[in-house]
C-alpha cells in the first residue's frame, strides 16, 4: 500500500503567505503516496487570511482541505495537536504557512523513507531554501545548560568556535545526516510515533515545541534526520515579524519551560536567572549599539512580559 500523509498548518495572521502555501500543495502531490487531508488550524486570526479556504478542496483538484477555527489563539503546539487529532495517515507533516512546496518536496522525502535502511527514522526534515534558492541552515543542536547560558550572554556570536550556536551554521546542509533537531517549519513525523509521544507538549505556546519533540523522539530510540534530497521554500519569521516583543517573550519563556522540564533543578534555576536578567541586558545593549530604537523597545516590552508571567510560568498545561 502506498503511504499517506496529513498536512497540518497552523495559521495566525499569515496573510497571503497562507494562501500561497495551500496553493503550492498540488504541485507536491507527485509520486506514490496519498494526501489524507490538509488541515489549516486558524488561531483566531484577525486578518481574514483563512477566509475562503473552506471550499473543501485544494486548487487544481489537489485534495481535501479542512479549516478549523479557534475562537482564541491556542498557541502552536496545541493547534498542531488539534490538527493531527483523528488522523489515520502514515505520516504527519507540520508545515508553516510561510513555506511553499513543490514536486521536490514530498515525493523524494517519502521515497527515501520507504527504503528499508531508513526504518528507524522517526522525524524527517528537508532542505529549506529562500527565494534565491539558497539553503537555510535550519538544523539545530539539542540545548544544554552550558549552550543556553552561552547564548544568553552572546558568547555563541562572539566566539562560535568555542561556543557553538543553537543552529548548525557551520554546516551547509547539502548532505543528509542524523541531527538533534529539524525545524518545525517542515517537520515530517510518523503518525504512530507522534501518538506514542503524546504529540507536542502544549506547555510550549510557541518555540521549543519542535526542540522538545525531537529530543523525546531520539530518547525513544528513533532517528531525527535532515534529508538533503528534498526541499521546500521557507520565508522565515513570516508571521512573527509584526510582534517582535511577543516573539522574544515567547522564545524566552519557552526556554525557561524547556530547562525546567529537561534539566536538573540547579541547572534550570541558573538558566532561568540568566534568561530573566543577563540576556535582556545583553540584547538591549546590542540594540542600542546598533542604533535601533525599535529593537530596544521590543526587548524592553518582551522582557516586561516575561517578568509579569513569572507567577504562572512553570504551571503545566499538558505534558507530552
Amino acid at each position: 500500500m502506498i503511504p499517506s500523509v496529513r498536512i497540518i498548518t497552523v495559521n495566525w495572521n499569515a496573510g497571503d503567505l497562507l494562501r500561497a502555501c495551500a496553493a503550492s500543495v498540488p504541485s507536491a502531490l507527485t509520486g506514490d503516496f496519498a494526501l489524507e487531508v490538509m488541515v489549516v488550524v486558524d488561531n483566531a486570526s484577525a486578518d481574514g487570511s483563512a477566509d475562503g479556504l473552506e471550499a473543501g478542496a485544494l486548487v487544481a483538484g489537489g485534495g481535501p482541505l479542512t479549516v478549523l477555527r479557534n475562537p482564541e489563539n491556542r498557541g502552536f503546539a496545541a493547534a498542531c495537536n488539534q490538527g493531527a487529532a483523528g488522523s489515520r495517515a502514515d505520516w504527519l507533516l507540520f508545515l508553516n504557512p510561510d513555506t511553499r512546496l513543490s514536486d521536490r518536496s514530498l515525493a523524494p522525502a517519502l521515497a527515501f523513507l520507504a527504503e528499508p535502511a531508513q526504518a528507524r527514522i522517526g522525524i524527517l526534515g528537508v532542505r529549506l531554501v529562500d527565494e534565491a534558492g539558497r539553503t537555510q541552515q535550519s538544523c539545530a543542536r539539542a540545548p544544554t545548560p552550558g549552550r543556553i547560558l552561552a547564548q544568553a550572554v552572546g558568547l555563541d556570536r562572539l566566539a562560535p568556535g568555542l561556543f557553538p550556536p543553537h543552529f548548525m551554521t557551520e554546516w551547509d546542509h547539502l548532505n543528509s545526516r542524523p541531527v538533534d533537531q529539524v525545524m518545525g517549519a517542515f517537520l515530517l513525523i510518523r503518525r504512530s510515533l507522534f501518538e506514542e509521544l503524546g504529540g507536542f507538549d502544549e506547555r510550549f505556546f510557541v518555540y521549543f515545541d519542535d526542540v522538545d519533540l525531537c529530543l523525546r523522539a531520539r530518547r525513544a530510540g528513533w532517528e531525527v534526520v535532515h534529508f538533503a534530497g528534498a526541499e521546500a521554500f521557507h520565508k522565515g519569521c513570516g508571521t512573527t515579524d509584526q510582534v517582535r516583543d511577543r516573539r522574544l517573550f515567547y522564545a524566552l519563556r519557552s526556554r525557561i519551560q524547556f530547562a525546567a522540564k529537561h534539566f536538573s533543578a540547579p541547572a534550570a534555576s541558573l538558566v532561568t536567572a540568566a534568561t530573566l536578567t543577563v540576556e535582556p541586558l545583553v540584547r538591549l545593549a546590542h540594540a542600542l549599539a546598533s542604533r535601533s530604537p525599535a529593537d530596544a523597545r521590543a526587548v524592553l516590552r518582551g522582557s516586561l512580559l516575561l517578568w509579569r508571567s513569572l507567577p504562572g510560568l512553570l504551571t503545566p498545561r499538558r505534558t507530552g
Side-chain angles (χ1 to χ4, degrees):
M1 296 181 63
I2 64 172
S4 55
V5 180
R6 173 180 289 204
I7 300 174
I8 300 103
T9 297
V10 176
N11 177 59
W12 181 75
N13 295 325
D16 291 337
L17 292 172
L18 174 64
R19 298 181 184 280
C21 175
S24 74
V25 172
S27 66
L29 302 182
T30 61
D32 294 328
F33 71 95
L35 175 66
E36 180 190 53
V37 67
M38 180 179 185
V39 180
V40 174
V41 185
D42 186 69
N43 264 335
S45 295
D47 66 346
S49 49
D51 294 348
L53 293 179
E54 296 94 333
L58 298 175
V59 295
L65 185 149
T66 298
V67 178
L68 304 179
R69 293 181 177 271
N70 291 327
E72 61 181 9
N73 189 344
R74 297 187 60 198
F76 180 80
C80 282
N81 291 343
Q82 182 182 357
S87 176
R88 303 311 303 165
D90 300 295
W91 295 89
L92 302 174
L93 172 60
F94 295 98
L95 187 69
N96 277 9
D98 62 347
T99 58
R100 294 197 302 268
L101 302 180
S102 71
D103 59 357
R104 299 181 300 278
S105 301
L106 290 178
L110 290 167
F112 173 71
L113 290 166
E115 298 173 3
Q118 316 308 334
R120 292 310 301 169
I121 295 178
I123 296 177
L124 187 81
V126 302
R127 280 193 308 115
L128 301 177
V129 300
D130 62 17
E131 290 282 10
R134 294 181 295 251
T135 300
Q136 300 173 4
Q137 293 156 308
S138 56
C139 296
R141 300 172 177 85
T144 65
R147 286 174 183 164
I148 289 181
L149 291 173
Q151 293 161 18
V153 299
L155 292 177
D156 59 326
R157 293 180 292 277
L158 293 174
L162 296 175
F163 304 96
H166 178 62
F167 288 103
M168 302 172 72
T169 55
E170 76 286 355
W171 167 45
D172 61 14
H173 288 51
L174 296 181
N175 62 300
S176 303
R177 59 187 277 188
V179 294
D180 288 346
Q181 179 221 330
V182 297
M183 185 181 287
F186 183 113
L187 190 150
L188 187 63
I189 182 172
R190 294 180 188 271
R191 193 253 313 158
S192 57
L193 173 60
F194 188 76
E195 293 176 349
E196 174 189 334
L197 296 175
F200 285 101
D201 188 335
E202 295 180 10
R203 283 179 291 184
F204 302 107
F205 187 86
V206 66
Y207 301 122
F208 278 84
D209 39 71
D210 49 357
V211 184
D212 171 77
L213 186 71
C214 289
L215 177 60
R216 289 188 285 127
R218 291 191 298 109
R219 286 178 174 173
W222 292 88
E223 286 188 336
V224 177
V225 169
H226 166 79
F227 177 53
E231 68 176 48
F233 166 79
H234 178 229
K235 181 180 184 297
C237 298
T239 61
T240 57
D241 269 342
Q242 54 192 311
V243 284
R244 286 183 294 170
D245 52 349
R246 287 197 168 271
R247 180 173 67 189
L248 176 62
F249 159 62
Y250 285 126
L252 297 184
R253 187 179 74 167
S254 290
R255 177 201 288 170
I256 292 173
Q257 291 170 319
F258 181 90
K261 179 177 180 179
H262 293 290
F263 299 162
S264 67
S269 297
L270 190 58
V271 167
T272 299
T275 302
L276 288 170
T277 57
V278 178
E279 180 157 359
L281 294 175
V282 172
R283 286 180 175 271
L284 184 60
H286 183 267
L288 295 175
S290 302
R291 298 181 180 180
S292 176
D295 286 349
R297 288 192 295 269
V299 170
L300 291 172
R301 288 194 295 261
S303 300
L304 181 59
L305 288 170
L306 184 63
W307 277 93
R308 286 176 174 173
S309 74
L310 281 180
L313 181 59
L314 301 182
T315 301
R317 298 170 64 186
R318 186 186 72 81
T319 57

